[in-house]
Amino acid sequence: MDEVKNSMKKEEQAYKRRFSRYFDELKWLYTELYGNDSMFAELCDNMYRFYGEREQSLKRLDMEREEAPDWYKQNDMLGMMFYIDNFAGDMKGTESKLEYLEKCRVNYIHLMPFLDTVEGHSDGGYAVADFRKVQKRLGTMEDLESLTSRCHKKRISVCMDFVMNHTSEDHEWARRARRGEGEYMSRYFFFDSPQIPQEYEKTVPQVFPTTAPGNFTWLPELGHYVMTTFYPYQWDLNYGNPRVFNEMMYNFLFLVNRGIDIIRIDAVPYIWKELGTKCRNLPKVHTIVRMMRIISEIVCPGVLLLGEVVMEPEKVVPYFGTVERPECHMLYNVTTMATTWHTVATRDVSLLKKQLDIVNNLPKEYVFLNYLRCHDDIGWGLDYETLKSQGMEERAHKEYLNEYFLGHSGGSTSRGELYNYDPVSGDGRFCGTTASMCGIEKAGFEQDEEAMALAIRKDVMLHAYMFMQSGIPMLYGGDEIGQVNDYTYKEDPNKAADSRYIHRGKMKWELAAGIEDEKTVEGQIFRQLGRLEEIRKTQKAFVSYGTVWTIETWEPSVLCIAREFEGEKVIGLFNFSEHDKTAWINEEDGLYRDLISGEKRKAAGIDIPGFGFYYLKRERG
Ligand code: GLC
């Protein structure tokens, strides 16, 4: 009895300590934004309520993580993202596949949107109709709790999307707004004449220029326009209204109390709108994210915020906040991802080297999530200024990249499809799985063994390079067995118009069954990635706060990345060309050991086969 009392007292004290630490700043930010004391008091009361409702086991995890705040920066972190239905049918199915995830050495899973949505109007689940209900076909909130608690027992962290920029038009607020209830209309952006929407359109770019042009949708039954930055059925929330902020924070706390460890803040740059601006990355977005961080530091300090900022580097980094006033814990390394594919298509690493140098020079507190591809398209957000100095014009180069990955030019073996191609601007993004973009689909179809061997090498080399970057690697489920594009989405009228579904195919468990067989494509990829993951987990140089830098190789197709932590140094060499190359490096600090073959050698004048790579570790003494 005394023990229970003691631990409750300890928890109470922990809450008070956190609350008083952050109270002034939270109040100041809230007042600056809303100047509404009673809504602020309501927020504070609810934070305490959600804390009270938080499970003991989660509170313990919070305290553990408060004591070891670098827990997510270790070299064992490996993520995998997947749609629950594609991966294992439903929540329960996912629970039954945890052993497979362990085999993949994954200890962080991102469950793609699973909250209630309307089939056909779901945007892959990013149009949420109820933030407190799981899609029926996937299970229930209890199933989610059971899954997160099983994951925690296996030391697997669970990430989910928090789609805070908009709700589905079927969300209760939207339904009531559509009926003309003023209280609910004020939670969105409504206009009864086209003037203001037209003013917005002058400065606000379009997210889906082809599949959902414009930023407003006319509602004839209400005689109003509503702001819809994404699809017409995704209504933008008005964070100028404190009721929206408070309620969304309660939804956030409700979800983390189900055992979620990592909250991916979807489309975060968009959450604040102002007429006459681009409505992206406005200063008040940062006020909101900082408040969200404070709220989680008080109620659930073990939870991480991952910002989805698909923007150029100078716009991304501010979402980390400052060292004193942090915002997100982690951000996607999106420019590096796009630049990686540019490098594949050009076989020239110079732009990638420059991009990695920018990332590597940022404070080590900043943690990036690295990936080769995700559920979204690849947009060609590259550093065109630098490319211009190399004679490459933006429009022509984007066209080259799309042609290349369509498999039409440049000796390409890639397969995939364009996304939101705009014939007027010539702008278009690209969709495809890693394996298909590396030539595995084409080689398989043509039953060309030699081409397949090369495609597998390319696929594995790209993963090896991704694992070497500064930050945490994230796999897309199915990539670990080289799954290729899935064209069946074209037969589904709810999906046919959105080519992103080409790389969101169902997990092929019949392939996964063959991972032990090294003669199969899936077996080869799985085994080789496994080896790399093993190395990453056992070599301290891979911690996310280690020092990372690039080394000039004097060979345009070969990239060299070095990492060092507590005197342990590993260098990685990656050949982005199908031809054999020599890296003209000369590291004169002793002998190196090839972490894959075990051979000892000098790190100088290294021959690398086409699409080959090396991980070399400096020998001690
Ligand atoms: C994010 C998601 C994307 C979705 C959009 C709108 O960018 O990654 O899939 O379409 O938000 O919610």
Side-chain angles (χ1 to χ4, degrees), residues 7-34:
S7 98
M8 276 171 67
K9 210 168 139 203
K10 236 173 111 189
E11 279 170 20
E12 200 66 16
Q13 281 167 347
Y15 187 86
K16 279 203 184 122
R17 169 176 50 79
R18 295 174 198 147
F19 189 73
S20 59
R21 174 166 174 206
Y22 290 108
F23 177 80
D24 285 348
E25 191 191 345
L26 184 59
K27 170 133 205 212
W28 190 76
L29 293 172
Y30 196 93
T31 308
E32 181 193 58
L33 208 56
Y34 300 124

Side-chain angles (χ1 to χ4, degrees), residues 123 126 166 208 230 234 264 266 308 375-376 500 504:
D123 184 24
Y126 285 96
H166 43 260
F208 300 138
F230 293 84
Q234 288 165 310
R264 173 188 181 274
D266 182 61
E308 191 226 0
H375 67 299
D376 279 330
R500 289 178 296 179
R504 297 175 180 173

Side-chain angles (χ1 to χ4, degrees), residues 535-586:
I535 291 173
R536 229 186 135 259
K537 279 190 200 313
T538 48
Q539 299 297 328
K540 275 201 138 176
F542 284 91
V543 292
S544 119
Y545 40 88
T547 311
V548 187
W549 70 101
T550 64
I551 296 172
E552 180 57 69
T553 66
W554 306 106
E555 164 47 60
S557 300
V558 177
L559 179 74
C560 181
I561 304 177
R563 307 188 65 117
E564 189 159 15
F565 183 68
E566 290 181 344
E568 294 199 9
K569 178 178 168 196
V570 174
I571 61 175
L573 289 149
F574 310 95
N575 182 355
F576 278 77
S577 143
E578 56 272 61
H579 304 296
D580 301 353
K581 300 281 177 187
T582 303
W584 300 106
I585 59 166
N586 192 9

